Amino acid sequence: MHDTFQPVELAKSYLLLNHGPVVLVSSAFHGRRNVMAASWVMPLDFDPPKVAAVIDSRSYTRELVEASGEFALNLPCRRIADKVLAAGSISGREGDKFAHTGLAAFPAGQLGAPLVRDCVAWLECKVIAEKHNQQRYDLFIAEVVAAWADPAVFSEGRWHFPESARRTIHYQAGGSFFETGRAFDCSGE
Amino acid sequence: MHDTFQPVELAKSYLLLNHGPVVLVSSAFHGRRNVMAASWVMPLDFDPPKVAAVIDSRSYTRELVEASGEFALNLPCRRIADKVLAAGSISGREGDKFAHTGLAAFPAGQLGAPLVRDCVAWLECKVIAEKHNQQRYDLFIAEVVAAWADPAVFSEGRWHFPESARRTIHYQAGGSFFETGRAFDCSGE
């Protein structure tokens, strides 16, 4: 693993997705691999942690995820937003999308799917087979089996973005993103 | 409806949730009503638009949603973040949560569930019964039957936040939120 990675406690891994960032979904099967951008991803449970993700039936990622039963969620930051947009704009069937977008892969801890370099956090996920959801809604449910974060950006269960370039991002539409913005605290009542 | 509301075209209503903001889930059944905060909500389809939302089995909202078959997603802004936190911290079984939090309700267009005033966008949703998902994962799938936004904040399919107070917000944990941050455009490759 890259030397700035730290494991994230599984029961706290939902905190990586709680604020709704865009992710890169990486997948692999029998020497083929792919990466796609996705906004329709959310935590589904705390412990054991689960996620829900929409993976279009026509996508190459779908083919690899169904064949392998796994995928990784990689949280990109503003620095690589142009590559995220490129990963969301073409199909992996047209050629290796890592090569095409300039995104670099490295091995996961527990999956055959690669992780994406220059991201700030990673969740390794194993699909819980739910055929009805997959076929009817393109909806995948998966258990998070490992999680990692750049400790300069996420540690002790909190994000603390050191600079704009390493902020997580949220997709709007038409090539337009938002940075994750200013943090603020409320006391409730 | 409040005079600063405008309808949002249903096929574009996913854009209200695409960037992953926290929402208030409002519900009602036979004169009882409730509102709770939720981060685990995402778009599920474009047209007809659908959403997926996690609604804990122990919550009062769950009881009202299962009884009525509907809920509304209200997008709060920074100005009412303290009330969002309060709505996420107590149960509606302890008393009317609108009264307790100071959140104000007004009638929806197509639902019996109320909408929440001082939010910036609203999605009215009818549950698509999926008992297995509800029972096993606390996961609700619903069709969006009406959507609204404050045109000063969202119009023509884009967010354009005029001020910090009206930015949508994203929940981290422990009373800490993020504002939706700066918008930026990418050209792809």
Side-chain angles (χ1 to χ4, degrees):
Chain A
M1 302 287 282
H2 190 280
D3 59 6
T4 64
F5 288 13
Q6 295 272 335
V8 173
E9 188 186 338
L10 280 180
K12 289 190 173 167
S13 63
Y14 77 95
L15 292 166
L16 300 173
L17 295 175
N18 216 47
H19 65 304
V22 69
V23 301
L24 293 167
V25 180
S26 53
S27 56
F29 185 67
H30 282 193
R32 296 181 295 149
R33 62 182 189 170
N34 200 29
V35 57
M36 72 165 203
S39 288
W40 298 4
V41 171
M42 67 177 181
L44 185 66
D45 207 350
F46 296 103
D47 192 14
K50 298 186 188 76
V51 295
V54 177
I55 303 177
D56 193 282
S57 62
R58 296 159 298 184
S59 68
Y60 188 46
T61 292
R62 173 71 167 263
E63 191 180 321
L64 299 180
V65 169
E66 291 204 319
S68 65
E70 54 176 55
F71 57 83
L73 302 177
N74 310 265
L75 274 70
C77 56
R78 178 162 179 169
R79 186 169 48 191
I80 61 167
D82 57 338
K83 295 175 182 175
V84 176
L85 187 63
S89 306
I90 59 165
S91 170
R93 289 199 185 85
E94 297 161 27
D96 184 86
K97 217 196 281 188
F98 286 94
H100 184 84
T101 59
L103 289 166
F106 66 97
Q110 298 199 30
L111 304 184
L115 302 184
V116 181
R117 202 169 284 283
D118 296 322
C119 288
V120 293
W122 302 261
L123 297 102
E124 302 186 21
C125 305
K126 295 204 174 184
V127 173
I128 297 168
E130 290 282 2
K131 293 288 180 195
H132 172 71
N133 286 331
Q134 294 166 211
Q135 288 169 7
R136 179 152 186 176
Y137 299 112
D138 293 342
L139 177 65
F140 284 72
I141 291 174
E143 182 171 340
V144 180
V145 296
W148 311 91
D150 176 345
V153 181
F154 182 92
S155 64
E156 296 181 357
R158 290 293 184 280
W159 291 102
H160 33 80
F161 300 108
E163 60 198 345
S164 178
R166 281 196 279 179
R167 285 185 175 266
T168 51
I169 56 178
H170 307 257
Y171 192 57
Q172 186 169 201
S176 177
F177 294 83
F178 295 110
E179 286 182 12
T180 301
R182 280 181 292 193
F184 63 97
D185 290 309
C186 286
S187 59
E189 288 181 71
Chain B
M1 302 288 282
H2 189 282
D3 60 4
T4 63
F5 288 14
Q6 296 272 335
V8 173
E9 188 186 339
L10 280 180
K12 289 189 174 169
S13 63
Y14 77 95
L15 292 166
L16 300 173
L17 295 175
N18 216 46
H19 66 303
V22 69
V23 301
L24 292 167
V25 181
S26 52
S27 55
F29 185 67
H30 282 191
R32 296 181 294 150
R33 62 182 189 171
N34 200 31
V35 57
M36 73 166 202
S39 288
W40 297 5
V41 172
M42 68 178 181
L44 186 65
D45 207 351
F46 296 103
D47 192 13
K50 297 187 189 75
V51 295
V54 177
I55 303 177
D56 192 282
S57 61
R58 296 158 300 183
S59 68
Y60 188 45
T61 292
R62 174 70 168 264
E63 191 180 322
L64 299 180
V65 169
E66 291 203 320
S68 66
E70 53 176 57
F71 58 81
L73 303 177
N74 310 264
L75 273 70
C77 55
R78 178 161 180 170
R79 186 168 49 190
I80 62 167
D82 57 339
K83 295 175 181 174
V84 176
L85 187 63
S89 306
I90 60 167
S91 170
R93 289 201 184 86
E94 298 161 25
D96 184 84
K97 216 196 283 190
F98 285 93
H100 183 84
T101 59
L103 289 167
F106 67 97
Q110 298 199 31
L111 304 184
L115 302 184
V116 180
R117 202 170 284 285
D118 296 324
C119 288
V120 294
W122 301 262
L123 297 102
E124 302 187 19
C125 304
K126 295 205 175 182
V127 173
I128 297 169
E130 290 281 4
K131 294 288 181 194
H132 172 71
N133 286 331
Q134 295 167 210
Q135 289 170 7
R136 178 151 185 178
Y137 299 112
D138 293 342
L139 177 65
F140 284 72
I141 291 174
E143 183 172 339
V144 181
V145 296
W148 312 89
D150 175 346
V153 181
F154 182 91
S155 64
E156 297 181 357
R158 290 293 184 281
W159 292 101
H160 33 80
F161 300 108
E163 59 198 348
S164 178
R166 280 197 278 180
R167 285 184 176 268
T168 51
I169 56 179
H170 307 255
Y171 192 57
Q172 186 168 200
S176 177
F177 294 83
F178 295 110
E179 287 182 10
T180 302
R182 279 180 292 193
F184 64 97
D185 290 309
C186 285
S187 59
E189 300 171 72

